[in-house]
Each structure stands twice: as structure tokens, then as C-alpha cells.
Amino acid sequence: MLVSIEPGIYLPGVGGVRHSDTVLVTRDGYELLTHYPTDIEALTIRAPKPFARLRGKLVRHAVGIK
């Protein structure tokens, strides 16, 4: 069986992000078929604008991401 896991977070007026993984459920467990980074640093787009960086920091703080 294949399962797609697609958590996302959306903040009105700010933006959002969605991350997906595809998992193959096997008789012995599972196999992760998505081979992309999963850490927040690799998934974060860095903005060169100070205001955008501040907004991102406030959003991460609001949702509990360090």
C-alpha cells in the first residue's frame, strides 16, 4: 500500500508551506520513497529582505519552531 503524508501550515496574510512524503507500507514495515531533505533549515527559503526575515522569525516563534 502507498501512503502520501502531506502536512501543511498556512497563516492568513503571511503564507504557508506544505511538505509531502510518500511511504510504501510493506509486510516488514515501511519504505520511505521521498528522498528530499526533511529538516527545517533545508526547507526554508531565505529572503534577503530584513522585513521578510523578521516576519519569518515571528511566524516560526508563533508556531513554536526554533
Side-chain angles (χ1 to χ4, degrees), residues 16-43:
V17 66
R18 183 178 228 50
H19 177 74
S20 66
D21 286 313
T22 303
V23 178
L24 174 64
V25 180
T26 66
R27 184 167 283 191
D28 299 321
Y30 68 93
E31 179 183 349
L32 184 60
L33 300 179
T34 306
H35 300 288
Y36 290 97
T38 57
D39 60 288
I40 192 71
E41 289 299 320
L43 297 172

Side-chain angles (χ1 to χ4, degrees):
M1 174 176 29
L2 284 175
V3 178
S4 177
I5 304 164
E6 300 180 14
I9 183 168
Y10 302 93
L11 301 172
V14 177
V17 66
R18 183 178 228 50
H19 177 74
S20 66
D21 286 313
T22 303
V23 178
L24 174 64
V25 180
T26 66
R27 184 167 283 191
D28 299 321
Y30 68 93
E31 179 183 349
L32 184 60
L33 300 179
T34 306
H35 300 288
Y36 290 97
T38 57
D39 60 288
I40 192 71
E41 289 299 320
L43 297 172
T44 302
I45 298 172
R46 301 211 180 267
K49 300 176 184 174
F51 181 74
R53 290 184 60 114
L54 175 60
R55 183 175 52 200
K57 185 172 184 172
L58 292 171
V59 169
R60 287 190 301 276
H61 178 74
V63 297
I65 300 173
K66 294 183 178 183

